[in-house]
């Protein structure tokens, strides 16, 4: 009986290390993380220290985590990827905003991150038009 109780206590004391990476810098490095909740295209998923290793494609939304000595912390993130390997969880995203009220973070996701996605779509459309125009001109040049 004592052995089973010790195993349960050990499971409760396990924590993770969370690192949030941006293209240009480390946004945050947090230790003693008890749980993480992240958004994917198929919904929200929770990650605990004893969860098997995995990867997840993240969508723009709110990532939350709880440490052993703090309340729940919320961070607005852009799309990216999360990789859990043992006690280490690495989140790599294009942009992140923290330190704001949860309602303001939702506004930031809606305004900033989704606007960036729309702008990228517009840029891709313009680039596709330019490429096709270039190809047509090249074909006409070769015909003459």
């Amino acid at each position: 009986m004592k052995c089973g109780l010790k195993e349960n206590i050990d499971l409760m004391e396990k924590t993770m290390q969370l690192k949030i990476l941006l293209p240009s810098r480390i946004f945050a490095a947090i230790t003693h993380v008890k749980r993480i909740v992240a958004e994917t295209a198929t919904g929200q998923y929770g990650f605990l220290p004893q969860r098997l290793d995995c990867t997840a494609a993240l969508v723009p939304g709110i990532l939350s985590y709880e440490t052993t000595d703090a309340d729940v912390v919320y961070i607005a993130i852009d799309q990216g990827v999360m990789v859990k390997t043992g006690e280490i969880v690495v989140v790599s995203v294009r942009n992140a905003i923290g330190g704001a009220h949860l309602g303001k973070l939702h506004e930031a996701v809606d305004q900033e991150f989704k606007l960036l996605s729309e702008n990228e779509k517009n840029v891709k459309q313009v680039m596709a038009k330019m490429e096709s125009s270039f190809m047509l001109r090249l074909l006409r040049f070769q015909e003459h």
Side-chain angles (χ1 to χ4, degrees):
M1 270 281 207
K2 289 183 181 178
C3 183
L5 180 62
K6 180 170 177 8
E7 289 172 359
N8 286 340
I9 291 172
D10 287 345
L11 280 177
M12 289 172 42
E13 292 176 358
K14 285 190 175 187
T15 60
M16 299 174 284
Q17 298 173 24
L18 172 62
K19 190 177 280 190
I20 301 172
L21 307 175
L22 300 178
S24 61
R25 65 185 173 96
I26 297 173
F27 179 80
I30 305 102
T31 58
H32 307 293
V33 176
K34 294 191 312 189
R35 68 180 177 91
I36 301 167
V37 177
E39 292 186 43
T40 70
T42 58
Q44 289 187 336
Y45 288 94
F47 298 86
L48 298 171
Q50 63 270 20
R51 184 182 176 121
L52 294 175
D53 295 350
C54 61
T55 61
L58 304 176
V59 296
I62 304 295
L63 178 133
S64 65
Y65 65 88
E66 182 180 3
T67 62
T68 55
D69 57 339
D71 292 333
V72 177
V73 177
Y74 300 96
I75 299 174
I77 61 166
D78 201 351
Q79 68 184 14
V81 66
M82 176 171 18
V83 178
K84 181 183 183 304
T85 309
E87 298 172 354
I88 310 291
V89 179
V90 178
V91 173
S92 180
V93 292
R94 293 190 296 173
N95 199 1
I97 301 171
H101 184 268
L102 185 57
K104 299 238 185 246
L105 289 176
H106 275 291
E107 289 175 19
V109 169
D110 287 339
Q111 292 175 359
E112 188 170 335
F113 297 156
K114 291 182 180 175
L115 178 64
L116 285 173
S117 295
E118 287 299 316
N119 288 340
E120 286 178 355
K121 287 178 189 175
N122 293 338
V123 167
K124 287 180 183 178
Q125 288 175 347
V126 169
M127 290 300 292
K129 287 179 183 176
M130 288 175 58
E131 289 172 359
S132 63
S133 175
F134 174 75
M135 294 303 290
L136 285 173
R137 288 182 183 173
L138 186 60
L139 287 173
R140 287 183 189 148
F141 178 76
Q142 287 179 345
E143 289 174 359
H144 293 300

